[in-house]
Amino acid sequence: MRRIIVLIAVISLCAPRPCLSCMWDSDTLAMERQKFPEAHELIAGHFLRHSRAFYEWRIADRTAKASEQQRPGDFDDIAVAYDKLGQHDAAIETILSKMERWPDQGQYESEANLGTFLIHAGRFEEGLQHINRAIEINPQAHFGREVYQKLLVEYVIQQRTDHDGLPLRTEELYGQTGFANFVLTSQEIDRTNKEVVSNEIGNAVNGILGMMRFGNHDSPIL
């Protein structure tokens, strides 16, 4: 099982724009209700997902609305589309505009999206603050998967700090610095209870797979 978590959460600290994703737009809930791809399908990119042309169309469609017709969800759609196209700064600006215009609506979605966009832009510490706020607002969003996004970001920050930005050696990934160990330690899991340990690692695996499904399946970190 440890080899599985290492396979799908291996840290590539050289990646300039890693994608750790729990984003929210009008497609997210519908996709979450569909049959979830298997791990090998996600790793290989063998699952249905939108094209770049779709996200370009979505931006044009939502921005074409008159200002008085726009709704908070339109801004989420635009922001996620920008992020999917790799335009992280535009995604951040869009979601900040939404939060300024509707400060009391869709607070979870705004915090989760903003945190994710900042992380994708390489601004890990800033993004983590907003992910923490999103979890406080709705701990069970994305079926509780967001907790593992938070843990993975914390793990990346720690490894970058401990290794001066250098990639980990293979033996380190399988040792006491691996993400599986980090999850168990952070969650204060009783390691003598094999069933509890297995369940927690399984939840972490599902969390990472969810980020691959709804974020970027080919992210080096994921």
Side-chain angles (χ1 to χ4, degrees), residues 133-152:
R133 290 176 194 164
I135 293 173
E136 289 175 5
I137 295 169
N138 189 353
Q140 292 306 313
H142 294 293
F143 307 103
R145 188 173 66 240
E146 206 144 26
V147 170
Y148 298 100
Q149 181 190 26
K150 160 188 162 68
L151 290 175
L152 187 54

Side-chain angles (χ1 to χ4, degrees), residues 82-188:
Y82 274 130
D83 193 76
K84 290 284 191 177
L85 294 171
Q87 300 179 41
H88 308 301
D89 290 341
I92 292 167
E93 292 175 11
T94 301
I95 212 66
L96 286 174
S97 295
K98 174 203 171 187
M99 295 170 76
E100 181 179 357
R101 184 169 173 179
W102 293 283
D104 299 321
Q105 293 189 44
Q107 292 180 331
Y108 162 75
E109 292 88 342
S110 296
E111 293 291 350
N113 280 339
L114 179 56
T116 299
F117 302 153
L118 287 165
I119 291 164
H120 288 180
R123 295 157 65 178
F124 293 100
E125 289 81 2
E126 291 178 70
L128 188 59
Q129 295 177 23
H130 293 281
I131 295 300
N132 284 331
R133 290 176 194 164
I135 293 173
E136 289 175 5
I137 295 169
N138 189 353
Q140 292 306 313
H142 294 293
F143 307 103
R145 188 173 66 240
E146 206 144 26
V147 170
Y148 298 100
Q149 181 190 26
K150 160 188 162 68
L151 290 175
L152 187 54
V153 174
E154 291 175 343
Y155 178 69
V156 172
I157 292 173
Q158 175 183 291
Q159 296 306 319
R160 285 178 178 270
T161 301
D162 292 350
H163 295 81
D164 296 323
L166 298 175
L168 293 178
R169 297 188 299 271
T170 302
E171 60 269 24
E172 291 176 310
L173 285 170
Y174 287 99
Q176 294 303 306
T177 57
F179 182 56
N181 179 73
F182 184 86
V183 168
L184 296 176
T185 300
S186 300
Q187 300 292 78
E188 299 182 349

Side-chain angles (χ1 to χ4, degrees), residues 32-75:
E32 286 185 333
R33 288 172 174 161
Q34 296 174 2
K35 180 181 180 296
F36 206 84
E38 299 291 340
H40 66 282
E41 294 174 311
L42 290 165
I43 292 170
H46 253 231
F47 60 96
L48 292 175
R49 56 191 184 277
H50 292 312
S51 65
R52 288 185 60 87
F54 171 84
Y55 288 114
E56 290 167 353
W57 166 83
R58 170 159 282 179
I59 292 169
D61 178 74
R62 300 302 191 266
T63 55
K65 289 185 177 182
S67 178
E68 63 273 11
Q69 295 178 328
Q70 290 179 327
R71 297 293 177 264
D74 294 323
F75 280 71

